Amino acid sequence: MPSSTDFKALTREISGNVSQLRTSQPEVMQSFNAMGKAALAPGAIDAKTKELIALGIGVAARCDGCIGFHTQALARLGATRAEVHETLAIAVYMGGGPSLMYAANAVAAFDQVAPEQVPPPAA
């Protein structure tokens, strides 16, 4: 069953709403952005691996917005469909059935932002 969530539209909507918080709560939002930048900076673990971890946590936490944003970042960073799927397998292992439902959503989200990696339908 395909996901009915348009993750590109969802992330655009969230970004618009977050911009209101940037205006009304600039110190909090600047601090949050700085924390994210520091956490995602390459170090012992490269940026793509960190985004894969974030996607797995987003699935386990059942966060559609996290799925949308992190699949977009993974597409920009050149993640493969296989890497995303292996990450989702770990998220399902750690989170059980509810995580499986969100892993299916993450497959749809990644396919929306990296359609060139979607395999052709089986004959």
Side-chain angles (χ1 to χ4, degrees):
M1 177 174 82
S3 171
S4 62
T5 303
D6 181 342
F7 288 92
K8 290 180 181 180
L10 176 67
T11 56
R12 279 192 304 271
E13 180 181 344
I14 290 170
S15 292
N17 293 333
V18 166
S19 71
Q20 293 179 44
L21 290 172
R22 277 192 205 100
T23 301
S24 68
Q25 301 297 310
E27 293 159 0
V28 171
M29 296 307 296
Q30 288 169 1
S31 297
F32 181 79
N33 289 338
M35 180 176 58
K37 185 176 180 178
L40 291 169
I45 300 172
D46 63 270
K48 182 173 69 171
T49 302
K50 289 179 179 189
E51 285 291 349
L52 288 165
I53 292 167
L55 177 62
I57 292 169
V59 166
R62 299 170 187 85
C63 175
D64 283 331
C66 298
I67 289 168
F69 286 109
H70 293 294
T71 54
Q72 288 175 9
L74 285 163
R76 281 192 307 274
L77 291 168
T80 67
R81 199 165 199 263
E83 290 171 322
V84 169
H85 285 205
E86 284 189 33
T87 299
L88 297 175
I90 296 300
V92 169
Y93 166 64
M94 296 304 293
S99 290
L100 177 58
M101 302 304 110
Y102 277 81
N105 287 346
V107 167
F110 189 73
D111 288 352
Q112 286 177 17
V113 297
E116 69 281 358
Q117 293 199 40
V118 177

